[in-house]
Amino acid sequence: RDFMSEVNRLVKPEDQLYIHGRFNSDAVVFYRGGAIDKLDEPFEALAPKLGSGSAYVILPEGRSTARAFPQALARSSGRGPEGDATLVLMRIDLPAR
């Protein structure tokens, strides 16, 4: 809940917000208060777009991808039921809708 409170403070309702990766996003959507679009492209294609731009993405911080997120805007303190679902909020360079 604390993570999504920070996300909602940083990401305004009119901003583009996406989810990427495999994790149970039910709580994220619930605390956001509405649907969140998903990005389906592979992480390797997404990674170069992270860190700048006008859109936002929530994604899991896995062991193999942790180096890609030093500039995370927010990081969850929880790890999910499997112990491996720390989430991060990143800016992403995507074209406006």
Side-chain angles (χ1 to χ4, degrees):
R1 179 175 6 157
D2 293 339
F3 172 70
M4 284 309 296
S5 292
E6 182 67 4
V7 169
N8 288 335
R9 186 182 73 74
L10 294 169
V11 182
K12 305 303 177 217
E14 63 274 9
D15 291 338
Q16 295 178 70
L17 177 62
Y18 299 93
I19 292 173
H20 183 274
R22 293 183 175 219
F23 65 95
N24 184 337
S25 60
D26 293 347
V28 169
V29 172
F30 176 80
Y31 286 112
R32 179 64 177 173
I36 303 174
D37 292 330
K38 293 188 178 186
L39 293 175
D40 293 324
E41 59 190 289
F43 181 78
E44 295 75 23
L46 185 70
K49 301 174 185 177
L50 295 174
S52 64
S54 58
Y56 298 86
V57 63
I58 295 171
L59 62 162
E61 181 182 50
R63 286 184 283 289
S64 63
T65 59
R67 289 183 300 276
F69 307 123
Q71 69 276 41
L73 300 172
R75 185 172 268 107
S76 69
S77 58
R79 298 198 179 278
E82 304 296 320
D84 62 351
T86 299
L87 300 177
V88 293
L89 173 68
M90 301 288 300
R91 281 193 182 268
I92 187 166
D93 185 18
L94 291 177
R97 290 191 216 173

